[in-house]
Amino acid sequence: MKKKILFVIPNLAVGGAEKSLVNLLNELNYAQYEVHLFMMAKTGLFISHLPKEVIILPESSAYQIFSKRFPIALMTFLLQGNFKLFLNKIRFTFFNRTIKNPILAEQKNWQFLRYFFDSFPQKYDVAIGYLEKNANYIVADCVQADKKIGYIHTDYKTMGMFPIYDRRVFKKLDFVITISEGCLQTLKNIFPPFENKFQLIQNISSKKTITELAAAPIKEKLIRLSILSVGRLTALKNFDLAIDTATLLVDRGYDFEWNIIGEGDERQYLEKHIASKKLTGIVKLLGLKENPYPYIANSLLYVQPSKFEGKSIAIDEAKILQKPIVTTNFPTVFDQITHGETGLISEMNPTALADEIEKLFVDENLRNKFAVNLSKENWGTELEVEKFYQLIES
């Protein structure tokens, strides 16, 4: 009989964890496993990339109402006579407005949000929360399963999460998977009692798939000095640093373009920042691209200006495509890049980042050195799925 596995994730919008889940689901053996997927909101570009074998569960009807505008949600719960949800919607909204830290708000507000998710009707062999916070909380509190697994896709300390809210959850989980050595060590340092629960399984990246997709044509004509960055348009991805760096490169006389693939709530701010620096037509926000790989393949450089990452899937993909890489020195980057051998690691300021980019603009031998070094390794991580099998079968 097939084992039943449940995955939980907030949505499948374009992001590293979401792409990692889709890659994993495309590697699973469906002769052995019946896989169910629950999304808090059934949205996101990556839904179309799910394998046909995955059974997508319906959304929570209570959470759908909760997600509507405040007065509509309250009126609906009142008309239903559901005073518990009515009150918890008010409590959630009040606390969200009084807590300025969004990380703390998401962790703390689970005490109210929990009531908008019914217990799942069937029991699973394995239930997996595929993202920190709410996905893990749903698995811990709302799912019956013989084995419960959580994921932390980021550096817990650098992200500024609050351990008091996760200790209770980690007690309920059999394992907590994270994606890099740096993230693993951080978890062990913060949660010593759960040290044996923490497991390292890297994000799944298929070299064969990425290489094939990279051969597709693109409509944009990229100039010779073309930089690419990929990521959500959020403060953590630090694209305002990219804009300030681009200003310095223009001042140094370089004719280049810096394309950014991604979407997010900082778009308007970044557009204004680009205009204020007179970089319109130089720094370009290309929006979401279902297939970003031809843009990576056809660019001269890949640049990751992030404040922090758990383990950047985009960097792994650029390595697979043998692109010269410049990245900021967020703590976990040293698990991915060896400075001077497989890329350049910069201090997190515009002058330092411009200096490292300039080295690769002018030095073709250095670019070739990185490409050759990257070509010697198999950066695909398909074999990580074997670690996943071992964990769910243990």
Side-chain angles (χ1 to χ4, degrees):
M1 181 181 289
K2 291 183 180 182
K3 276 194 172 182
K4 284 189 176 180
I5 304 178
L6 171 69
F7 288 89
V8 177
I9 196 163
N11 57 59
L12 283 178
V14 174
E18 294 80 2
K19 179 181 284 188
S20 168
L21 174 57
V22 171
N23 290 345
L24 173 60
L25 292 175
N26 276 288
E27 295 289 335
L28 291 183
N29 181 353
Y30 290 94
Q32 285 186 265
Y33 303 107
E34 179 182 311
V35 175
H36 294 192
L37 174 63
F38 176 76
M39 292 175 275
M40 295 170 67
K42 214 185 295 184
T43 59
L45 188 65
F46 287 144
I47 289 177
S48 63
H49 294 251
L50 290 170
K52 65 181 187 304
E53 294 89 350
V54 173
I55 299 167
I56 300 176
L57 300 180
E59 297 173 74
S60 161
S61 56
Y63 184 70
Q64 284 180 298
I65 297 168
F66 165 87
S67 301
K68 296 181 184 295
R69 289 193 302 114
F70 184 71
I72 295 173
L74 289 187
M75 182 60 68
T76 305
F77 289 135
L78 273 179
L79 292 173
Q80 291 177 345
N82 199 327
F83 298 109
K84 184 197 290 188
L85 298 188
F86 175 85
L87 288 173
N88 276 291
K89 173 65 175 177
I90 293 173
R91 289 169 178 159
F92 179 96
T93 304
F94 172 76
F95 272 90
N96 248 9
R97 288 175 179 171
T98 56
I99 299 174
K100 301 302 182 186
N101 184 324
I103 305 295
L104 175 60
E106 187 174 350
Q107 289 184 278
K108 192 177 180 68
N109 276 327
W110 174 247
Q111 63 185 307
F112 311 119
L113 196 61
R114 187 258 175 273
Y115 295 99
F116 298 91
F117 295 93
D118 295 328
S119 295
F120 285 62
Q122 62 179 296
K123 185 178 180 181
Y124 290 90
D125 295 293
V126 184
I128 301 163
Y130 206 78
L131 194 62
E132 56 273 359
K133 296 175 285 189
N134 285 334
N136 286 344
Y137 303 161
I138 289 172
V139 165
D141 294 337
C142 305
V143 180
Q144 296 181 73
D146 292 330
K147 184 177 291 181
K148 295 186 177 185
I149 298 172
Y151 262 83
I152 303 292
H153 276 271
T154 188
D155 184 292
Y156 195 98
K157 182 179 180 180
T158 310
M159 191 175 184
M161 294 172 68
F162 293 82
I164 189 172
Y165 298 103
D166 282 316
R167 287 193 186 99
R168 175 193 70 83
V169 174
F170 288 176
K171 283 180 184 177
K172 292 186 172 186
L173 300 176
D174 296 285
F175 296 105
V176 178
I177 297 171
T178 193
I179 58 173
S180 74
E181 287 288 353
C183 292
L184 180 65
Q185 194 55 54
T186 296
L187 287 172
K188 288 180 177 181
N189 291 342
I190 295 174
F191 301 98
F194 305 121
E195 181 174 357
N196 292 334
K197 292 190 176 188
F198 299 132
Q199 302 290 324
L200 171 59
I201 300 179
Q202 296 181 60
N203 289 320
I204 308 295
S205 296
S206 169
K207 180 176 182 177
K208 179 175 180 291
T209 300
I210 289 169
T211 303
E212 288 174 355
L213 289 171
I218 56 175
K219 64 179 182 181
E220 293 88 351
K221 183 174 175 56
L222 305 182
I223 67 174
R224 189 182 75 82
L225 296 184
S226 179
I227 300 170
L228 185 74
S229 298
V230 178
R232 284 180 176 156
L233 305 185
T234 64
L236 297 178
K237 297 301 181 183
N238 213 15
F239 287 125
D240 51 349
L241 172 60
I243 295 166
D244 293 338
T245 302
T247 302
L248 296 181
L249 292 170
V250 169
D251 291 344
R252 295 178 189 184
Y254 289 103
D255 180 17
F256 70 100
E257 62 184 2
W258 195 325
N259 295 306
I260 299 171
I261 292 177
E263 201 52 82
D265 54 18
E266 282 215 330
R267 171 175 273 277
Q268 201 169 26
Y269 160 72
L270 293 172
E271 287 174 338
K272 290 179 180 177
H273 195 22
I274 290 167
S276 71
K277 297 287 187 177
K278 297 181 172 54
L279 294 172
T280 302
I282 297 173
V283 178
K284 304 173 186 177
L285 305 181
L286 301 185
L288 297 175
K289 298 291 180 184
E290 193 162 348
N291 178 11
Y293 305 119
Y295 293 87
I296 300 175
N298 287 284
S299 296
L300 184 72
L301 312 177
Y302 181 82
V303 176
Q304 190 78 34
S306 301
K307 292 180 180 176
F308 70 85
E309 299 274 350
K311 185 170 188 281
S312 170
I313 288 183
I315 286 179
D316 281 346
E317 292 169 342
K319 285 158 65 178
I320 287 171
L321 294 172
Q322 299 166 24
K323 279 291 121 178
I325 296 165
V326 181
T327 176
T328 47
N329 60 343
F330 52 86
T332 59
V333 74
F334 301 96
D335 294 335
Q336 293 183 275
I337 295 293
T338 301
H339 181 71
E341 294 298 322
T342 56
L344 297 175
I345 299 174
S346 163
E347 296 292 323
M348 209 172 292
N349 65 73
T351 300
L353 189 56
D355 288 346
E356 300 300 336
I357 291 171
E358 186 173 18
K359 289 176 187 175
L360 288 171
F361 273 177
V362 301
D363 192 341
E364 184 178 1
N365 290 332
L366 185 59
R367 296 198 304 269
N368 290 339
K369 172 187 172 181
F370 291 162
V372 169
N373 288 346
L374 291 168
S375 71
K376 293 176 181 177
E377 301 287 340
N378 179 15
W379 300 108
T381 53
E382 298 94 329
L383 294 179
E384 292 294 292
V385 76
E386 296 301 327
K387 295 182 187 177
F388 179 80
Y389 286 148
Q390 290 171 16
L391 200 63
I392 64 177
E393 295 290 350
S394 63

